[in-house]
Each structure stands twice: as structure tokens, then as C-alpha cells.
Amino acid sequence: MAGRDRVVELLRQLQRASCRCPAHSQSYSQAPHPSACGKTTDYAFEMACSNIRYGEGVTKELTMDLQNLGARNVCLMTDKNLVQLPPVKAVLNSFSKHNINFKLYDKVRVEPTDASFKEAIDFAKKGHFDAYVAVGGGSVIDTCKAANLYSSNPEADFLDFVNAPIGKGKPVTTALKPLIAVPTTSGTGSETTGVAVFDFKHLKAKTGIASRALKPTLGMVDPLHTLHMPQRVAANSGFDVLCHALESYTALPYNMRSPCPTNPINRPAYQGSNPISDVWSKHALHILAKYLKRAVKDPGDLEARSSMHLASVFAGIGFGNAGVHLCHGMSYPIAGLVKTYHAKDYVVDHPLVPHGLSVVLTSPAVFTFTGPMCPERHLEAAAILGANIRNRKREDAGLILADTLRKFLFELDVDDGLGAVGYTKDDIPALVKGTIPQERVTKLAPRPHTEEDLTNLFEASMKIY
């Protein structure tokens, strides 16, 4: 009981802590200098998204798309598990039937690393492919994006395009080859975005590459593929959708993000919440609230699994342009520093905290912390997820959303916090250290934060019930 009381007290301290952002603090004295656009913060946002084709059995059109593109040498990427399952087998049979010249790469690592990215990149460089097809979850699609990028820029150093401060964050200026993404999970939304995420093993932290140039030419969303997802994979994928929607909807508004780019090529893919992303993120949240529990509990529920496949796309369009913030920023060291935890239903040969699980475990603490900055949005999200917000106070918005999430996660048998996946309080300094380089996303949190805040958030996330 003492542990539970400690968590409650930490959450209340996080909620009560005074805001230190420029808009609410007279002590903030470092005013940013105006950029060449004449503003210190951005004044515009833009929407980028892959073309999306949705329908039961739509994968049968894949070979026609490749022929329409004039593809003569195709790289098909997947992983060792998926290559044995119907989604990939259907593609292989179709390629053979229609005489598509292709080479198969099935060595994608679930939760990719810089090493696994480089192995795929080497394969792509040697293959001289003129088109790519990725059949799988976010790991497969992200790996394929990286292979396409670096094979199209063979002289580039690996860190050239990796997000700063870990990499150089150079803009992508060359044209990439066509990439068709066929997602088999309902979570990452990678088929819609220009983002590829990986574990940078030297730092034991996740980072990635973010450029609109990486987004697939076409996302082929076939809900029949989701029927092969085991229950925990469906659940964890759904938690990624949940946090994509919540974080993008509560992110710092685009016109409060700084600096204002001096050239539109430097405007980041993750721009902050904006009126168009808001529509997609909220709609995804509505669908998830209705269908995620059904999709997890009954793998054969085609309506629920199809709906979650669409929710993943909708949330992908939302966060792919607005961005995410603390849940995702903190998730990267949670996944990267994994010790011995082996997630149920994942066929891998290494310890693994699945991405969606690593993201959602901190969500009650995070939204308690961010609630004071945009309470109406936190209350609206809680209401969509089933909370009764009538006569509830704005100042309690963060706690209300946190309690709603806690109930939602408990009903879906989520592990009881970071402690349940192998972490202790002794690990918190390393988790904080691994979060600090994730400024590409953490700076989009609606509330500024310090290392002490991150420490308290991780401590409050050791237990969530």
C-alpha cells in the first residue's frame, strides 16, 4: 500500500508543479531571436501522407501496381516469422504467378537496431532495386524505408539523415524509389509516415530518421492480414494507436513550436498539433474506444480488426504531421534498455518490450503532468474513452484522463508498470538519460519539463494500478 501511496503522491506533485513555460513564467528570460521568416515560432503547417488504398483482399492488386510503375527489379522485405504466414505467402504466390522479378529479404529484426538497418541497407545497395515492397509491421516498413533511403544515397554516412542530436539530421534532397507498404499490424501507422525508428545500440536508446521523402508511395491496407495477429500483438499495436492519437491531439500547437524554419525544407515532419491532424487523431480515438477491446479478445472479429486497421491509418496521418511527445520520448529507453523481459505472443530470440507497451506504460503519469496545459483536450479525450466528465473540474483534467487510461489498461491485462517489465528505481537515471536525446518529440510536449520531472514521471510509472 505504501508503494501505491507513493505513486499517488508523485502524480499529485506532478500536477501541482508550477508551469515553467515562457507563456506562464515571468522568470523565463531567454527570448529566442526571430528567424529569417520574421517570427520566433512557426506560422504554418503542412500535411503529408502516403496514398492509402483500403479494402478486404486489396493485396491482390499489388502486382498490377508494380507493373504500372514499370518495376523490373523489386525488393520484398519481411521478417522470419511473417514469411511463413498467409500475408507474405499470398504476395510471393502473386509475384510468381505474374512473373515479377524480385529478391526476398526476410532478416528484418523486430524492433530494429542500427546494425539491422545497415544489414538491410547493404542488401538494397547490392540489389540495385527499382521498387520496394514491405509486408509486415512497423519494424519491416521502417527497415524498408531506411534501405530505400540509403541505397538511393549510396555515398551518405549512416548518421547523415539520423535525427539530431544523435545524427546530423540532414534534409533528404534526392528522389527515392517507389515503396509500397502492406501493413500486417494495426499500430505504427508507418505506411502513412516519413519516419523510421531504430535502436541505436551504442547509446542504448531509440532514435530515427524523419523526412517526408521517406513516406511510402502507397500504403496498401488489407484488413484480412490483421486476422493473423496474436492477442497481445493486437493489444500492444492498439496501445500505439492510442498514444499516437492522445499525444498528437495534446501536442504543443504548431504556431508555438520554435524555431520558425528559414526554408520550408527544414520544417519538421512533426510540427505540433494543428486543425487537420486534430480531426484524424480524434477520429482514431473514437474508433479505438469502440473496437480495441473486441479486436484483442476475439481474433476472428473482422469488423473490430478492420476498424483498428483503419484507426492505425487515421492516427498515423494525425501524428505523422503533428508529432508525439512524452510517452513516445520516454518509451525509447524503456525499449532500448530492456533486460530479460520477453513479451507474450512475440516470436523473437531476444528480450523485448514491444513498442506499444513501452509507450503506454507511462501514459497515466504523462497525462497527469500535461493536463494543466490544455485541460479541455484532456477532458475531451477522457470522455471519448468512456469517462463521465459532467461537472468535473478543469484542474482535474490530467488526473481524470489518467484514471480513465488506468481502467482501460487494466481491462486489457496490461502489465502493472515498469516494475512488471523488469525495471527498478535504480534504473531511473539511465531511463532519464535515454530520454534526453529524444528532443525531436519531447519538445512537442505541451508542458516544458526538466530532468527532475522525467525522474518523477518514471518513478510514478513503476506501478500504474
Side-chain angles (χ1 to χ4, degrees):
M1 197 64 183
R4 162 77 175 169
D5 291 344
R6 173 62 177 155
V7 169
V8 171
E9 179 58 26
L10 276 168
L11 290 172
R12 294 195 180 281
Q13 287 177 12
L14 287 167
Q15 187 191 33
R16 291 194 300 262
S18 61
C19 175
R20 291 175 294 276
C21 75
H24 297 87
S25 174
Q26 300 303 315
S27 62
Y28 191 93
S29 59
Q30 284 190 304
H33 296 289
S35 70
C37 71
K39 294 178 178 291
T40 57
T41 57
D42 212 338
Y43 66 98
F45 67 92
E46 59 185 89
M47 298 299 292
C49 174
S50 305
N51 293 325
I52 298 296
R53 186 183 302 154
Y54 173 87
E56 293 179 22
V58 74
T59 309
K60 66 187 178 185
E61 298 181 358
L62 176 58
T63 52
M64 289 181 276
D65 286 310
L66 292 170
Q67 291 167 343
N68 292 340
L69 288 167
R72 298 180 180 277
N73 184 25
V74 178
C75 175
L76 172 61
M77 285 202 174
T78 190
D79 65 39
K80 288 289 188 184
N81 182 47
L82 277 165
V83 77
Q84 305 172 49
L85 297 177
V88 175
K89 286 187 175 180
V91 171
L92 290 171
N93 291 337
S94 180
F95 279 10
S96 298
K97 180 179 178 181
H98 293 90
N99 298 313
I100 298 293
N101 181 45
F102 74 97
K103 289 186 175 66
L104 173 67
Y105 183 84
D106 63 0
K107 298 180 181 179
V108 171
R109 188 181 193 273
V110 177
E111 302 295 339
T113 65
D114 53 321
S116 73
F117 264 19
K118 289 175 181 176
E119 186 176 353
I121 291 165
D122 287 343
F123 180 86
K125 285 180 176 179
K126 293 173 183 175
H128 302 287
F129 302 109
D130 59 6
Y132 291 82
V133 175
V135 183
S139 296
V140 172
I141 299 172
D142 285 4
T143 300
C144 198
K145 290 175 184 176
N148 189 10
L149 171 64
Y150 287 96
S151 63
S152 300
N153 294 271
E155 303 304 318
D157 180 77
F158 181 71
L159 290 178
D160 279 353
F161 302 118
V162 173
N163 299 325
I166 291 174
K168 299 175 185 177
K170 290 183 177 180
V172 179
T173 56
T174 54
L176 307 191
K177 300 297 190 293
L179 191 165
I180 299 177
V182 185
T184 58
T185 61
S186 303
T188 68
S190 187
E191 67 277 5
T192 72
T193 75
V195 176
V197 177
F198 64 93
D199 281 318
F200 194 61
K201 299 303 286 184
H202 176 65
L203 295 179
K204 295 184 177 180
K206 276 190 186 288
T207 184
I209 306 162
S211 169
R212 295 177 183 87
L214 265 68
K215 68 183 191 307
T217 311
L218 173 65
M220 189 169 276
V221 183
D222 187 339
L224 295 180
H225 296 331
T226 67
L227 298 177
H228 306 285
M229 273 194 300
Q231 287 186 318
R232 295 322 300 171
V233 177
N236 292 326
S237 299
F239 300 144
D240 204 15
V241 177
L242 173 65
C243 288
H244 283 159
L246 288 174
E247 289 174 73
S248 59
Y249 189 55
T250 57
L252 188 76
Y254 75 94
N255 57 2
M256 293 180 65
R257 192 199 75 253
S258 63
C260 180
T262 56
N263 185 310
I265 197 173
N266 296 320
R267 180 168 284 116
Y270 287 180
Q271 303 163 91
S273 61
N274 60 77
I276 300 178
S277 287
D278 287 351
V279 173
W280 293 103
S281 298
K282 282 173 60 179
H283 191 48
L285 205 56
H286 278 285
I287 296 173
L288 178 140
K290 183 175 181 180
Y291 289 108
L292 178 57
K293 292 175 186 176
R294 280 175 51 182
V296 171
K297 292 177 180 177
D298 182 1
D301 188 336
L302 181 58
E303 180 187 14
R305 293 227 163 173
S306 298
S307 297
M308 283 304 303
H309 216 24
L310 272 179
S312 176
V313 172
F314 296 159
I317 298 171
F319 93 86
N321 292 282
V324 287
H325 55 83
L326 286 172
C327 292
H328 270 77
M330 295 169 66
S331 79
Y332 296 148
I334 293 171
L337 296 172
V338 59
K339 301 174 185 177
T340 59
Y341 183 80
H342 287 267
K344 183 182 178 182
D345 289 341
Y346 287 79
V347 184
V348 294
D349 60 0
H350 53 273
L352 174 70
V353 179
H355 174 64
L357 180 60
S358 70
V359 168
V360 84
L361 288 176
T362 61
S363 61
V366 163
F367 291 109
T368 298
F369 178 72
T370 59
M373 299 309 297
C374 43
E376 292 84 359
R377 291 189 173 224
H378 286 67
L379 285 173
E380 186 175 8
I384 293 171
L385 293 173
N388 181 358
I389 62 169
R390 291 183 62 187
N391 302 320
R392 304 301 293 270
K393 297 178 181 178
R394 292 173 75 257
E395 55 265 33
D396 292 332
L399 288 171
I400 293 166
L401 178 54
D403 286 342
T404 305
L405 287 168
R406 199 172 285 111
K407 180 174 182 291
F408 196 78
L409 301 184
F410 183 80
E411 291 174 352
L412 284 165
D413 299 320
V414 174
D415 299 87
D416 188 11
L418 298 179
V421 298
Y423 290 104
T424 69
K425 290 182 180 180
D426 292 340
D427 298 309
I428 291 177
L431 292 169
V432 171
K433 182 180 178 182
T435 303
I436 292 170
Q438 312 305 330
E439 63 180 31
R440 178 181 65 93
V441 294
T442 57
K443 70 181 181 181
L444 289 173
R447 180 174 178 175
H449 49 276
T450 63
E451 290 187 31
E452 182 182 358
D453 292 326
L454 292 174
T455 296
N456 290 337
L457 288 168
F458 278 118
E459 186 173 349
S461 300
M462 285 293 163
K463 283 183 65 68
I464 56 178
Y465 305 128

